[in-house]
Amino acid sequence: MMNIHIMTLFPEMVMGGLGTSIIGRAMDKGILSIEAVNIRDYAYNKHQSVDDYPYGGGAGMLMQAEPVYQCYQAIQEKINAAKREKSADIDKEEKSISEKKTRVLYMSPQGRTFSQRMAEELAEEEELIFLCGHYEGIDERVLEEIVTDYVSIGDYVLTGGELPAMVMVDAISRMVPGVLHNDVSAEFESFQGNLLEYPQYSRPEIWHEKRVPEILLSGHHANIEKWRREQSVIRTALNRPDLLDKAELTKQERELAVSCSSVRKE
Ligand code: ADE
């Protein structure tokens, strides 16, 4: 079970994007809980404004420290209350584990680049808090106090942290046991083992005069596995040769990869 809390000015955007399909189903099943918390609910003036001009001048508005801080405190208090309730009947050792500080992830192009490995690591956490900035960013002082990890989803600039948070929540959630229909499927996909996925085919057998590769109709599982593995190696060598250094390949697979790389250079 994992609890994800997303601090945002656009809760409908986040919940709309995550409430469907696989992630939505995991939420319905109770394997995953995702709540978007509206930072505006913690505004402290009567106009409910959460942004102001930057000191020193410059373009745009900044999100102010206090509403973000109050929002964070409310989430942390909720987490602590739930933990206290749960730990009333568990032993001390477990209690000390559950009292460690919840990670607060701030979506920022200045952060460490998100990766499959990071998704796997974060999927081990019981609670995660995401902080989505908007406008030109957030007052530095509250970031210093609450953020534990600065994370970027790639070298491009978006208008806010909501899409990055949704990307991360999706990638992390599918690594939580029980979210995918079977536990095997997460292991075999792109980037697991640092190889890209092999091509897949479904009915009909012939479509636009293209036949499904004969071997997939043979029913010979060992040969099919071998073919798929080769296809993964070929695709990786052609499209993402940078991944091959980290992949564990047999001598034959290494040779296959090298022969593809030379084709690529021509
Ligand atoms: N906010 C704006 N752009 C971003 C990016 N590329 N990654 C994470 N957060 C962002």
Side-chain angles (χ1 to χ4, degrees):
M1 173 69 191
M2 178 177 220
N3 298 309
I4 294 173
H5 314 263
I6 305 169
M7 301 165 64
T8 171
L9 289 174
F10 302 95
E12 325 76 43
M13 173 182 178
V14 173
M15 294 315 286
L18 292 169
T20 50
S21 188
I22 295 170
I23 308 298
R25 212 157 43 232
M27 286 161 72
D28 292 342
K29 280 198 280 181
I31 303 167
L32 196 65
S33 113
I34 302 175
E35 63 157 359
V37 186
N38 196 340
I39 297 168
R40 197 174 296 281
D41 291 346
Y42 298 88
Y44 54 99
N45 55 27
K46 65 173 192 289
H47 305 292
Q48 286 216 297
S49 73
V50 288
D51 58 330
D52 207 337
Y53 297 99
Y55 278 115
M61 305 286 269
L62 278 186
M63 284 166 68
Q64 292 166 284
E66 188 62 13
V68 173
Y69 190 66
Q70 291 299 329
C71 181
Y72 162 75
Q73 293 251 318
I75 294 169
Q76 192 61 70
E77 189 38 54
K78 189 174 161 184
I79 293 171
N80 292 346
K83 276 185 183 163
R84 272 197 299 274
E85 199 168 301
K86 218 174 107 192
S87 69
D89 43 27
I90 59 173
D91 64 55
K92 252 205 178 123
E93 189 192 3
E94 255 186 274
K95 212 167 165 178
S96 67
I97 295 168
S98 63
E99 270 171 17
K100 71 174 196 271
K101 185 182 180 335
T102 307
R103 285 170 83 166
V104 179
L105 309 158
Y106 178 50
M107 308 298 102
S108 160
Q110 299 185 25
R112 200 147 70 92
T113 308
F114 187 54
S115 64
Q116 185 61 35
R117 193 205 293 205
M118 230 190 273
E120 284 161 26
E121 181 203 312
L122 291 168
E124 312 262 316
E125 300 283 334
E126 243 171 82
E127 309 276 344
L128 285 176
I129 301 175
F130 287 81
L131 172 57
C132 306
H134 227 88
Y135 314 118
E136 298 306 310
I138 303 183
D139 189 308
E140 190 69 20
R141 293 167 295 183
V142 68
L143 299 178
E144 285 170 11
E145 287 203 13
I146 70 172
V147 173
T148 61
D149 303 74
Y150 291 75
V151 193
S152 164
I153 61 160
D155 285 339
Y156 38 82
V157 181
L158 301 164
T159 56
E162 282 73 18
L163 285 169
M166 286 157 73
V167 165
M168 285 185 63
V169 168
D170 191 285
I172 294 165
S173 299
R174 62 189 287 294
M175 301 314 296
V176 172
V179 170
L180 298 182
H181 13 269
N182 54 53
D183 279 345
V184 220
S185 64
E187 279 168 38
F188 279 105
E189 285 167 280
S190 298
F191 296 111
Q192 308 281 327
N194 285 294
L195 289 177
L196 300 183
E197 236 184 315
Y198 48 78
Q200 304 234 61
Y201 305 85
S202 182
R203 289 201 289 182
E205 231 176 274
I206 305 173
W207 182 83
H208 282 200
E209 295 176 13
K210 293 168 195 275
R211 277 198 157 276
V212 172
E214 206 57 46
I215 191 154
L216 299 177
L217 312 174
S218 69
H220 195 301
H221 292 296
N223 287 352
I224 290 171
E225 278 318 305
K226 183 166 172 287
W227 180 85
R228 286 180 164 168
R229 176 87 187 168
E230 284 167 7
Q231 292 295 315
S232 284
V233 172
I234 293 168
R235 291 200 151 187
T236 312
L238 292 177
N239 301 323
R240 289 295 307 276
D242 57 302
L243 291 178
L244 283 175
D245 298 339
K246 288 177 274 172
E248 275 184 41
L249 301 184
T250 65
K251 191 161 166 283
Q252 273 180 341
E253 287 169 344
R254 205 42 85 187
E255 284 165 7
L256 175 62
V258 169
S259 69
C260 291
S261 313
S262 58
V263 171
R264 190 171 182 265
K265 286 195 191 92
E266 278 162 19

